[in-house]
Amino acid sequence: NAIYSGIFPLPKEERQAYIRDGWFPYPKEFEEYLLAGPFTPEDYEADALMTAYDMDQYTLADATGICYYWMMFWRYPVVNSRTLIADLLTTATGIDINEAKLTKIAKRIVNLTRAHNVRVGLTRKDDCVPGKVFKMTGPTQGQFDPRFLDKRINAYYETKGWNSDGIPTRETLDEFGLDYVRRDFEQRGILTD
């Protein structure tokens, strides 16, 4: 996440200007995280919320063909408003799409992708990071602590509506119209509780 290395280390006044000038690619409720400064290892819940949002945004970039740099990265004019993306899609396709529908589409894709990965055998143990992440120097030094990795993963799974094994729950699958995936998981013994 470029925000760790590029923006968090800046003085608070510059971070405030970054938000004021429209560069911050997250919803307003996330501004408090940027203004508070770099995450500490104990900030796994805030980090999970931002990571979950990132996943949905990257999914929208993939689904729409909008460049990642315009969607999420900094020092470029961002297309980070889901309302704007919905308006662009409505204009291009003639299908009425609003921000809520667009967000639901992104979350559905993320859950379908996760369900596919679970079905082909990927598990929680595959949700890992290279050891070098914990040894980084510079602005991100000390922000990633292996003692908090499991807590970060748990918080992310909870945010996404997945169980502790990283499997989308029955409720999540049904919420996003993936009841056929739920039935398949039940039949295969993937969802047993």
Side-chain angles (χ1 to χ4, degrees):
N1 186 323
I3 202 162
Y4 286 112
S5 57
I7 305 307
F8 269 140
L10 295 176
K12 188 168 186 171
E13 298 77 28
E14 289 184 45
R15 286 181 272 138
Q16 289 169 327
Y18 184 76
I19 291 169
R20 183 188 62 243
D21 293 343
W23 292 102
F24 190 59
Y26 295 93
K28 187 153 188 66
E29 62 266 21
F30 285 64
E31 290 176 6
E32 66 183 275
Y33 303 134
L34 179 64
L35 295 175
F39 289 137
T40 65
E42 297 86 1
D43 291 330
Y44 53 85
E45 290 177 354
D47 187 36
L49 288 172
M50 291 185 86
T51 301
Y53 186 86
D54 287 349
M55 181 60 72
D56 293 345
Q57 284 298 96
Y58 296 144
T59 298
L60 288 174
D62 286 338
T64 61
I66 295 174
C67 175
Y68 276 10
Y69 286 96
W70 283 2
M71 289 285 276
M72 290 297 291
F73 290 104
W74 298 267
R75 310 291 183 211
Y76 291 89
V78 290
V79 180
N80 63 351
S81 161
R82 289 188 184 172
T83 301
L84 174 58
I85 297 165
D87 289 347
L88 289 170
L89 286 173
T90 297
T91 301
T93 66
I95 300 169
D96 185 29
I97 299 173
N98 61 27
E99 181 179 354
K101 285 182 186 177
L102 186 70
T103 298
K104 189 168 185 174
I105 290 167
K107 290 178 182 296
R108 185 175 198 269
I109 294 169
V110 168
N111 279 285
L112 186 58
T113 301
R114 182 64 182 199
H116 167 76
N117 290 342
V118 166
R119 188 172 176 204
V120 298
L122 294 176
T123 65
R124 181 186 177 104
K125 71 174 177 49
D126 298 302
D127 289 331
C128 58
V129 295
K132 66 182 178 181
V133 168
F134 303 113
K135 300 174 187 167
M136 290 192 295
T137 60
T140 57
Q141 185 171 356
Q143 289 181 7
F144 301 99
D145 186 324
R147 295 173 300 168
F148 292 95
L149 183 59
D150 274 343
K151 289 182 178 184
R152 275 192 152 119
I153 292 170
N154 289 340
Y156 177 76
Y157 286 177
E158 186 177 331
T159 299
K160 296 311 274 180
W162 302 346
N163 69 20
S164 61
D165 294 320
I167 300 169
T169 64
R170 286 180 172 85
E171 295 78 19
T172 298
L173 292 170
D174 288 348
E175 177 184 353
F176 295 108
L178 299 171
D179 52 307
Y180 65 95
V181 174
R182 175 187 42 80
R183 288 190 301 272
D184 179 69
F185 275 15
E186 289 168 342
Q187 185 177 24
R188 292 173 181 275
I190 295 171
L191 282 175
T192 57
D193 53 355

